[in-house]
Amino acid sequence: MDFIRSAARRRTLGALAGTALIAAVIQIPASAGTATAPDKSTPRASGAQPAFSAAEDDEYYKDAEGKTGEELKKALHGIISKGVTTLSYDEVWDALKETDKDPDNAGNVILLYSGKSDSADNNGGGEDQWNREHVWAKSHGDFGTGNGPGTDVHHLRPTNTKVNSIRGSKDFDKGGEEVEGAPGSRTDEDSFEPRDEVKGDVARMILYMDVRYEGDDEFPDLEANDDVNNGSKPNIGRISVLKQWSDEDPPDKFEENRNQVIFDKFQKNRNPFIDHPEWVKEIYK
């Protein structure tokens, strides 16, 4: 599967080159003040899962070899739907404490939309606590918090409860006013824009859900589209913006490690767009 190895090498070399350039021209000051998200471009100092090797990648994605477009999407659906361990909604709490662990503080998690580091034990429904954000809003398809899409950790992330409430069930798009408590994130009456550092993460989570849930089981057929105000339909937008975000914000070490933790410790499946971001353009043309 030479095209997979080549893509992986290109991403690695690009990341190394970018890191070297940044190190050469920027002096990073010592941290101060309240805890915030670490530089996600660097490897995790502790608790990182072993990387997914080229041989493992070849084996896991062998049914996708040589495919493009709808054929590739169909193949990936089959791959990521096989042998999946389904969590309960209560089990999601413990999963998120592991998948989104702060690499600089093992007792904390990184909150998706704000980038803040918060105590893993500060989970709950209070305004200053964090809760379980469905990045694919659960009302879009009305799947709730039942087993399946409602508990799929690939799109569930810790967020401040107030910020989560502001995002609500809005589709994703550009623009709006800055969100209180989440610098860099913006919202207007019908859409939400996450901060730059996680735009690609959000896009790849949405596209994972689009591929994973095709309506061939008891779950709804989820489809990303180019609309906002999708309401309770099993759609979320905007796909044109999500494609742009995925391209502009490629997977980093934090996101890759998260994918590996979910695979190794929880669901036994992967987000293919983290392993192969080039497949976004192959499927969503």
Side-chain angles (χ1 to χ4, degrees), residues 243-256:
K243 286 166 57 181
Q244 180 182 342
W245 288 351
S246 181
D247 187 52
E248 292 174 348
D249 175 36
D252 54 32
K253 293 297 181 181
F254 187 93
E255 191 180 359
E256 290 169 351

Side-chain angles (χ1 to χ4, degrees), residues 57-78:
D57 188 291
D58 283 358
E59 178 61 25
Y60 187 75
Y61 291 115
K62 62 184 179 182
D63 291 343
E65 183 175 3
K67 294 182 172 66
T68 61
E70 282 299 316
E71 286 300 310
L72 175 58
K73 184 179 181 183
K74 183 177 179 181
L76 293 178
H77 169 69

Side-chain angles (χ1 to χ4, degrees), residues 67-70 72 277-285:
K67 294 182 172 66
T68 61
E70 282 299 316
L72 175 58
E278 71 275 11
W279 282 344
V280 173
K281 290 181 179 177
E282 289 291 336
I283 294 173
Y284 302 97
K285 300 189 185 223

